[in-house]
Amino acid sequence: MSSIVVVGSMAFDTIETPFGKQDKILGGSANYFSLSASQFVPVKCVSVVGQDFPKEHLDLLKSRNIDLAGVRHGDGDTFHWSGRYGYDLNEAQTLGTELNVFETFEPELPESYRDAKYVFLGNIAPPLQMKVLEQVRKPQFVALDSMNFWIEGQRDALIKAISKCNAVVINEGEVRQLTEKYNMVDAAQVIRKWGPQILVVKRGEYGAVLFDHGDPFCVPGLPLAEVKDPTGAGDTFAGGFVGFLASQANTSLSRELLRRAVVYGSVLASFTVQDFGFGELLKLSREKIEERYRRFVELTRFTRVA
Ligand code: AMP
């Protein structure tokens, strides 16, 4: 079975939403991605944690098909992100980004990671994303996520990393900021000219849009009775998207397969937003995922007019 190499943050998050506040709970792009993608295939994680990171959490990840041989223990504190959301949960306001052990992190992939066919360059400094990609010998499918922090601070390095990818999976506001295009069809053209054939635009509670060489494909967000915290939804989406594709490794990357992958991404993300942190992700099973996939099918089913 194919496995996925992911690089991203392992973090403490301090989060405030209209529905509550949590201080220094576990988070990070690599964590959310790995817990989501490992529902489909084994994941090999590249990251760095500080001395303050709980061993129990690392043990828990290991028990869930997540290889941590590429996770370093740095001398210092774990990455810490603080953010706030208003009633528009689609827009996070960053209050603080303390890179800590990431300031000096030099990723070195264990030999057992280097033949991976699927790579996810999660939200982290673009030069780190590149260093990881350069160490994978012959990747078949590379996807990338990023955020405003890196678009503002390291745009050129980010575009260079993007040019090496098959797919970019970022949210709508970030697509606009990155391409300086308001319209998503125009923005998709700009990104596809840089190299990737595929752009997946995440639109928070409004769903996601897939752009490739043909007509776009749209999935709505699932209307949920309870939404508490959108943090990590994007990484969880990417985990479902890439995880599903990797689980179908021997099939060709058809448009039909990509569409199903976008639905799986939406399914997984819909669990994350129901609670703070990894609350719902840790309770997941394949049965729950398939049951919610069927709800997405119903959500969008309508008949052709004769
Ligand atoms: P999202 O899926 O976009 O909501 O990602 C949320 C996660 O990204 C949080 O758990 C944060 O720890 C992490 N994060 C926030 N800012 C950054 C950053 N600048 N670099 C890497 N990870 C970050």
Side-chain angles (χ1 to χ4, degrees):
M1 189 189 279
S2 282
S3 61
I4 307 171
V5 162
V6 54
V7 61
S9 52
M10 292 177 97
F12 287 123
D13 288 344
T14 297
I15 305 163
E16 209 182 316
T17 81
F19 315 106
K21 185 172 189 304
Q22 299 276 321
D23 203 30
K24 284 199 147 188
I25 57 169
L26 289 167
S29 52
N31 267 315
Y32 281 107
F33 179 90
S34 302
L35 284 168
S36 172
S38 64
Q39 291 287 335
F40 298 92
V41 295
V43 176
K44 297 175 186 301
C45 189
V46 182
S47 195
V48 58
V49 294
Q51 302 297 326
D52 51 353
F53 200 80
K55 180 179 173 301
E56 302 78 61
H57 181 69
L58 298 174
D59 290 341
L60 182 129
L61 292 175
K62 283 188 212 157
S63 73
R64 294 186 177 229
N65 239 350
I66 302 168
D67 187 342
L68 300 183
V71 175
R72 286 268 178 90
H73 292 256
D75 216 1
D77 289 339
T78 298
F79 178 96
H80 180 207
W81 177 74
S82 310
R84 185 193 289 146
Y85 303 83
Y87 280 100
D88 178 0
L89 292 172
N90 299 326
E91 196 77 49
Q93 185 193 350
T94 293
L95 302 176
T97 302
E98 295 158 43
L99 292 175
N100 297 332
V101 284
F102 268 102
E103 304 244 27
T104 52
F105 176 49
E106 289 289 329
E108 197 176 326
L109 268 56
E111 183 51 38
S112 58
Y113 282 37
R114 294 181 186 229
D115 285 321
K117 296 289 172 237
Y118 288 76
V119 180
F120 183 65
L121 305 175
N123 179 22
I124 200 60
L128 284 183
Q129 295 178 315
M130 275 299 278
K131 275 185 198 157
V132 168
L133 185 56
E134 280 160 9
Q135 294 175 52
V136 181
R137 288 190 189 99
K138 255 182 134 191
Q140 238 172 46
F141 184 83
V142 184
L144 172 146
D145 184 15
S146 193
M147 71 180 284
N148 49 10
F149 186 81
W150 305 114
I151 299 172
E152 279 153 30
Q154 305 212 25
R155 189 168 183 273
D156 292 346
L158 178 59
I159 294 175
K160 193 169 160 212
I162 287 176
S163 73
K164 307 280 176 211
C165 295
N166 304 90
V168 175
V169 185
I170 54 178
N171 75 35
E172 192 169 40
E174 289 153 1
V175 173
R176 290 197 172 114
Q177 193 182 12
L178 179 64
T179 61
E180 293 170 344
K181 297 278 180 203
Y182 182 80
N183 180 289
M184 285 299 114
V185 177
D186 290 347
Q189 269 182 9
V190 171
I191 290 181
R192 294 185 71 239
K193 272 198 193 123
W194 288 337
Q197 308 91 300
I198 298 158
L199 168 67
V200 182
V201 181
K202 297 174 285 182
R203 302 185 63 235
E205 65 184 299
Y206 305 114
V209 188
L210 166 73
F211 291 95
D212 57 7
H213 59 276
D215 286 335
F217 170 68
C218 302
V219 185
L222 185 69
L224 292 162
E226 191 162 48
V227 175
K228 284 191 186 155
D229 170 26
T231 308
D235 307 301
T236 312
F237 177 100
F241 177 73
V242 183
F244 171 72
L245 290 178
S247 74
Q248 308 288 308
N250 296 326
T251 342
S252 73
L253 200 66
S254 64
R255 301 192 72 207
E256 194 50 43
L257 206 67
L258 284 169
R259 286 178 173 215
R260 285 167 64 196
V262 172
V263 178
Y264 274 111
S266 310
V267 166
L268 271 292
S270 75
F271 286 106
T272 290
V273 301
Q274 288 182 290
D275 201 354
F276 281 89
F278 309 137
E280 285 297 317
L281 267 185
L282 295 177
K283 293 188 234 155
L284 271 185
S285 63
R286 264 322 271 273
E287 292 72 45
K288 278 181 151 185
I289 294 172
E290 296 309 329
E291 194 261 328
R292 201 163 275 194
Y293 188 96
R294 288 192 287 275
R295 283 180 64 188
F296 269 87
V297 173
E298 285 309 308
L299 187 65
T300 47
R301 192 167 58 86
F302 59 97
T303 49
R304 198 188 284 262
V305 179

